[in-house]
Amino acid sequence: MRALLVVLLLAALGHPFAFKSAPIEGFADHRWEGGDGIRGECAAHPSQSEREQCFLGSLDSEEKLAEAFAAGVPEYRVHHSMFVPSKRAPDRSVALCSQGSIDRLDRLELQAERWHGPLSLAVYAKHQETMGGGEAAWNRTVEMLSDFHKRVEDKGECLLTISVLEAVDPASAKEEFDTLYPINSLRNVAVRNAHSPLIMVVDADFAPSEGFHEFLTSDPVIYASLLHHASASRRVWALVSLELHAGHLPIPSTRAEVAALLPNRSVVVAEAYLNPAAHEPVDIDHWLRADGFADGGGAPLTEDAAFEPFVLGAREALPDYDERFRGYGFDKTAHARHLRSLGFSYWLLPRHFAVARYHHPTPTAVRMFGEDPDMLLRTRMEWLFDQVSSDIDAEGGGYQPLTAASTSRRGAAGAPPSGGEPGP
């Protein structure tokens, strides 16, 4: 209902629905194809913004909203565990589960350098667009990933598994929404190819602090307590996530370095300017003094519905991410809401952190929350989050996130695109 009110209000105000980012090739004339309104009477308007305004104004019932905005999960081709570590992970281990596009391998390399344990990485490959498509483009993608995996392996500390999710080809996509960055599908791929009892899900830009994995695993008593509370007590530990805004400085690796950068705001809590509620409920002053776990628990956190930190938890206890969320917005918020409905509680993860160098918002983030937002995309995401939230509230522990069916079989390194399997 809230999304319906948003649509009607925007239409009444005559909001100029303009895109700040360039449309994806192949969708220039019909960036949104939900329902038949934009191809019917609304198509007679002379400008794109007027057609979009007319389309939103026509969505005057929940049924029409559902027809226009309901989303499924595209049939991605996924190559599970395409590259695997040469050594077996120790029994006491925490798998870092990360995802990113192939153009961010430099940031992923720093992440791997700092994590001395299992790292399950899901890489988004857009070789159809960036390399011209075909077998040659795919082979180049495989070569890049093979070189990256070898560099990490040669250092001998990170146990890296790489899985690949191929982008939907815009030429065959049903709508532009299916071509947006599949962030939750990638997260699920990374988790499904991790095998440690405990996992921590992060994004590609975030480098962990030095000694993080050793801090979690070196003491068998603490590790056993963490695993027990994560599984039996449904605890998750919120990771202190930071952004470095001083571009000339190196990425900090210790808490002492972070403490020195906080007073002049060279380092801030991640998303402090765009979405402060996502990470700020972690008490930085307390974190700076917290040196260890009390009975494996850290400290309980008071948080609200907008709190969506990266978390440490038990792999078998954590639910999937809903793969209908693509692009930017609400992807972790929906997962956090699901965690709360299942009775999970948030606790502080002491001493260590993950930090990303600040970068400009992605094109989809600009389309969602920029000065001149794409209200079709934004309304769709708002409506989708409302629907998922309603389902979670109604079904509680019975809610099942929408994901693609998969069987997680291993793909052979160097296999052409047809060698993958559909679905994460």
Side-chain angles (χ1 to χ4, degrees):
M1 180 59 70
R2 183 159 62 98
L4 175 58
L5 294 175
V6 169
V7 169
L8 296 176
L9 176 61
L10 291 171
L13 292 175
H15 192 285
F17 303 114
F19 288 75
K20 289 182 73 70
S21 57
I24 295 175
E25 184 179 354
F27 294 92
D29 297 325
H30 48 281
R31 289 168 291 198
W32 171 249
E33 293 186 324
D36 60 359
I38 206 165
R39 297 191 298 273
E41 62 182 27
C42 293
H45 289 280
S47 70
Q48 180 72 22
S49 63
E50 289 176 320
R51 290 193 292 273
E52 292 167 349
Q53 181 181 336
C54 174
F55 176 70
L56 281 177
S58 71
L59 304 180
D60 55 3
S61 70
E62 291 292 343
E63 290 75 18
K64 290 182 179 179
L65 278 167
E67 180 184 359
F69 291 151
V73 179
E75 194 170 279
Y76 302 108
R77 187 169 296 281
V78 181
H79 305 263
H80 293 279
S81 295
M82 191 169 184
F83 298 94
V84 297
S86 58
K87 296 186 293 187
R88 181 181 179 275
D91 292 336
R92 291 198 312 273
S93 65
V94 177
L96 195 65
C97 298
S98 183
Q99 50 75 32
S101 52
I102 199 165
D103 60 321
R104 297 205 173 180
L105 287 183
D106 57 333
R107 302 183 187 191
L108 290 163
E109 193 153 359
L110 178 59
Q111 192 175 79
E113 286 178 5
R114 295 244 187 120
W115 189 255
H116 303 162
L119 168 56
S120 177
L121 173 61
V123 174
Y124 184 54
K126 297 181 69 177
H127 56 281
Q128 302 100 325
E129 296 177 38
T130 59
M131 299 181 190
E135 186 173 348
W138 173 250
N139 289 340
R140 174 59 180 149
T141 297
V142 172
E143 181 183 356
M144 291 172 63
L145 293 174
S146 177
D147 291 345
F148 171 65
H149 189 267
K150 185 178 186 303
R151 289 197 303 272
V152 173
E153 276 276 295
D154 287 347
K155 293 177 182 177
E157 294 182 307
C158 178
L159 305 177
L160 177 62
T161 297
I162 300 178
S163 303
V164 178
L165 183 148
E166 293 185 49
V168 172
D169 189 341
S172 59
K174 295 179 181 178
E175 55 176 322
E176 186 204 9
F177 190 63
D178 288 350
T179 70
L180 298 183
Y181 186 79
I183 188 164
N184 277 353
S185 294
L186 287 162
R187 286 175 174 143
N188 285 338
V189 168
V191 170
R192 288 168 189 164
N193 288 277
H195 305 290
S196 299
L198 292 171
I199 62 172
M200 189 158 59
V201 182
V202 299
D203 293 343
D205 296 332
F206 286 85
S209 49
E210 288 288 354
F212 203 155
H213 187 263
E214 292 85 344
F215 174 73
L216 296 172
T217 60
S218 61
D219 187 322
V221 175
I222 288 180
Y223 182 86
S225 183
L226 283 171
L227 184 55
H228 168 76
H229 286 301
S231 302
S233 305
R234 294 206 163 185
R235 289 184 186 179
V236 289
W237 288 266
L239 173 61
V240 171
S241 302
L242 306 168
E243 282 179 354
L244 177 66
H245 281 248
H248 63 287
L249 295 176
I251 297 284
S253 61
T254 67
R255 188 173 59 171
E257 292 174 354
V258 169
L261 296 171
L262 285 170
N264 65 359
R265 298 187 68 80
S266 293
V267 163
V268 299
V269 174
E271 298 191 75
Y273 301 112
L274 181 64
N275 184 18
H279 297 280
E280 278 193 343
V282 173
D283 186 338
I284 292 295
D285 290 335
H286 178 76
W287 170 75
L288 288 171
R289 301 188 304 270
D291 285 330
F293 291 99
D295 189 29
L301 294 173
T302 302
E303 31 78 22
D304 59 28
F307 189 44
E308 50 169 30
F310 299 126
V311 297
L312 167 73
R315 179 172 54 85
E316 295 295 337
L318 294 174
D320 288 334
Y321 291 84
D322 195 303
E323 295 176 14
R324 287 172 289 184
F325 291 97
R326 302 191 275 282
Y328 184 92
F330 304 109
D331 44 277
K332 281 201 287 103
T333 313
H335 190 259
R337 191 180 187 108
H338 190 196
L339 287 177
R340 293 185 189 94
S341 78
L342 293 171
F344 282 86
S345 58
Y346 285 87
W347 294 66
L348 176 67
L349 190 54
R351 191 183 298 182
H352 285 273
F353 60 91
V355 58
R357 190 178 295 279
Y358 174 78
H359 60 81
H360 292 295
T362 63
T364 310
V366 172
R367 285 175 62 178
M368 284 285 290
F369 299 111
E371 294 177 0
D372 192 8
D374 170 359
M375 295 310 301
L376 292 178
L377 177 60
R378 186 165 173 174
T379 304
R380 180 177 201 165
M381 297 299 288
E382 181 92 11
W383 179 86
L384 179 57
F385 179 67
D386 281 352
Q387 294 302 302
V388 169
S389 298
S390 297
D391 290 345
I392 290 172
D393 294 343
E395 301 174 29
Y399 164 74
Q400 293 294 324
L402 186 62
T403 67
S406 75
T407 54
S408 288
R409 72 170 181 267
R410 179 171 299 175
S418 59
E421 59 176 295

